[in-house]
Amino acid sequence: MKLAYFVRGLPGHPLHPPLTDVTIGTYTFATVAAFCDVVGISNNAAAQAWWLALFFGLIATVVTALAGLADWLQISWGTPLWRTATAHAVANLSAGVLFLVALLTGHHDFKTGDVSTGPFVLTVAGFAVLTLGGWLGGAIVFVHGMRVLNLTDEPSLRAAAPLATPEKEAAEGG
């Protein structure tokens, strides 16, 4: 088995996209929890859930970004795909910074159980920038076709199998 499979995932089953689901889901929950606290739907628990979700989201961000970096390094520099992927990375890293600042400035909010205005605005801004990054990530896959194998006649079980078959490796160019 190739070492790259541990960093980038298998042909037809890249590692970065499913990690983005964890990261985006965690930040989505953080944003919803902060909103619930700010509008008074929930007290204390929502503020603590918001802060903890930001904390775990930042851990997920590091892992997700490293897998994305491994893919980004495989792209030919200066191409339209590279420009889209670079914008995707910049947007998502910017969102991560906003979430980090929200976490740091909101630690007191975590202790008191009340999300204040500044950290809430940072969280919402982070979520907006994260949404832009996700949109650009969609363009990488669905417009540029990065890591899409297009084996339309591959039998279902083989297509879904977490195996690096010769057909999948050939379709990915490996």
Side-chain angles (χ1 to χ4, degrees):
M1 183 181 267
K2 296 179 183 179
L3 181 60
Y5 292 163
F6 292 106
V7 179
R8 297 185 63 232
L10 298 169
H13 302 278
L15 186 58
H16 180 69
L19 292 174
T20 65
D21 293 349
V22 173
T23 305
I24 292 168
T26 304
Y27 287 135
T28 300
F29 176 78
T31 305
V32 170
F35 177 79
C36 288
D37 181 79
V38 168
V39 300
I41 294 172
S42 175
N43 296 323
N44 295 348
Q48 292 173 341
W50 156 76
W51 194 87
L52 291 170
L54 287 179
F55 180 80
F56 286 105
L58 287 163
I59 292 169
T61 295
V62 171
V63 177
T64 303
L66 289 174
L69 176 63
D71 283 343
W72 183 81
L73 291 171
Q74 300 298 310
I75 301 170
S76 296
W77 193 86
T79 62
L81 170 59
W82 181 88
R83 286 191 292 278
T84 304
T86 301
H88 166 71
V90 168
N92 287 327
L93 291 174
S94 298
V97 169
L98 290 166
F99 289 127
L100 175 62
V101 175
L103 176 94
L104 295 174
T105 61
H107 188 255
H108 182 264
D109 299 359
F110 167 73
K111 289 182 175 182
T112 61
D114 188 29
V115 180
S116 59
T117 303
F120 177 68
V121 169
L122 288 165
T123 300
V124 172
F127 188 75
V129 175
L130 182 70
T131 301
L132 171 63
W135 180 270
L136 293 168
I140 292 166
V141 175
F142 299 112
V143 176
H144 294 292
M146 182 172 179
R147 304 229 32 212
V148 174
L149 301 186
N150 200 26
L151 295 173
T152 57
D153 293 327
E154 185 79 357
S156 297
L157 290 177
R158 285 180 56 124
L163 301 171
T165 64
E167 294 83 7
K168 288 179 181 178
E169 287 179 334
E172 191 169 62

